[in-house]
Amino acid sequence: MAAIITKSTMPAMGMWNKAQMAKTAVRGLLLPCGLLGVLWPCFALPSLMMTAPAREISARVMADQRFKSGALVNIHARMEAAPRSEIMQSDFIQAEAFVALSAAEETMLRKSPEEIDRAVAIAESKVRASLSNRPTDSFLWLMLYSVATTQNGFDPQYLSWLDRSYAVGPREAWVALRRNRLSLAIFPILSVATQQAVLSEFAEIVDADFIGEAAATLMSVGWTHRTLLLPPLSEANIASRQSLARRLASEGLNVTVPGVDRDARPW
């Protein structure tokens, strides 16, 4: 009888042992998961807390809004002093780059050559760090070209960064307003593809009704290339073309804007 009882309880004991092993395994998994849940905020929270204000700063810099004198330098110093987490948010890293760039521009107006060199070098390092997180950011590629040229002088190898800016963001108005002037300043040495992108970009600036900016570009770095810049305007909105023609005429320039009567008066 005892033998019969032993045989009948063995399967049940085996099932009980398996259940215990499964529970033990689950507990073994839950422990590290629980620890991760506790530790995660310690790593991520500082970065997350800084992300919201960083996005606001980036938006203001991208919109070319003005800050009080010295404000950007102070903001950059606070960002540098902020506690670093193992997992930094890409928005914060991007904001660091934007603030460093704007701080460098401000430094160029008021500081000594040594301070300018240091600010530009910091800006370049921040831009490179941000590009490692955001390789499709056309503004950062443009700024890498700009700060490297400012820091080291023109080098043909930098042109690839300008090309990259056009490749990843060919139609971004707030980028185009800066990029078009920088590109026209070195237009003859650009690749054919990038030259075409520059001409199309100017037409899109006019079409988007940035008339003041387009007129300023045409009358400065674009004047030498006006015979190339003006024909593509035939694709722009006629009202925008008329506005540009009036603006140029008010400046005493009687140029041919496609589809607009040259005898039109500023009024």
Side-chain angles (χ1 to χ4, degrees):
M1 184 70 179
I4 295 173
I5 292 173
T6 302
K7 288 180 181 179
S8 64
T9 57
M10 285 296 289
M13 290 178 65
M15 292 178 63
W16 185 84
N17 288 334
K18 289 180 180 178
Q20 286 297 104
M21 291 173 63
K23 288 180 181 178
T24 302
V26 170
R27 286 173 186 160
L29 289 172
L30 287 176
L31 181 58
C33 288
L35 288 173
L36 181 61
V38 172
L39 293 174
W40 172 259
C42 298
F43 288 104
L45 189 57
S47 179
L48 292 171
M49 290 177 66
M50 292 184 290
T51 296
R55 285 174 178 165
E56 182 180 350
I57 292 169
S58 293
R60 291 188 62 184
V61 172
M62 287 187 288
D64 204 22
Q65 293 183 10
R66 297 303 175 203
F67 292 78
K68 291 182 179 179
S69 178
L72 282 167
V73 174
N74 291 333
I75 291 171
H76 183 244
R78 289 200 299 270
M79 294 180 83
E80 284 282 276
R84 303 280 147 164
S85 67
E86 292 296 323
I87 305 170
M88 291 298 295
Q89 297 292 311
S90 63
D91 287 337
F92 181 80
I93 297 172
Q94 182 197 49
E96 273 195 308
F98 285 176
V99 170
L101 285 165
S102 297
E105 290 177 350
E106 185 176 306
T107 300
M108 289 177 192
L109 301 175
R110 299 177 176 85
K111 303 295 183 178
S112 66
E114 293 78 12
E115 290 173 303
I116 292 172
D117 287 344
R118 180 176 179 275
V120 172
I122 290 172
E124 182 177 350
S125 69
K126 295 296 184 183
V127 170
R128 289 181 181 275
S130 187
L131 276 170
S132 67
N133 286 276
R134 294 173 178 257
T136 59
D137 191 318
S138 62
F139 182 70
L140 287 172
W141 284 112
L142 175 65
M143 290 297 98
L144 181 58
Y145 164 80
S146 179
V147 295
T149 302
T150 300
Q151 176 75 356
N152 308 314
F154 177 77
D155 190 318
Q157 70 175 352
Y158 299 159
L159 293 177
S160 63
W161 299 333
L162 193 59
D163 293 340
R164 188 69 178 271
S165 177
Y166 277 104
V168 299
R171 292 179 175 83
E172 296 183 42
W174 63 274
V175 178
L177 295 176
R178 293 197 187 199
R179 185 170 60 193
N180 203 244
R181 287 194 183 194
L182 286 174
S183 301
L184 284 169
I186 55 168
F187 188 79
I189 62 175
L190 296 175
S191 67
V192 173
T194 301
Q195 285 182 344
Q196 289 301 315
V198 173
L199 298 177
S200 297
E201 184 174 64
F202 181 77
E204 289 164 4
I205 289 171
V206 174
D207 189 56
D209 222 26
F210 290 106
I211 304 304
E213 292 83 353
T217 296
L218 187 62
M219 291 186 294
S220 56
V221 292
W223 188 248
T224 304
H225 314 295
R226 62 189 180 279
T227 57
L228 296 174
L229 286 168
L230 291 170
L233 295 183
S234 59
E235 301 298 321
N237 182 282
I238 183 60
S240 296
R241 282 181 271 157
Q242 291 170 339
S243 294
L244 178 63
R246 287 194 297 270
R247 181 62 175 267
L248 295 173
S250 71
E251 298 290 340
L253 300 174
N254 193 16
V255 298
T256 301
V257 177
V260 179
D261 185 358
R262 289 189 60 171
D263 294 329
R265 297 292 185 264
W267 53 86

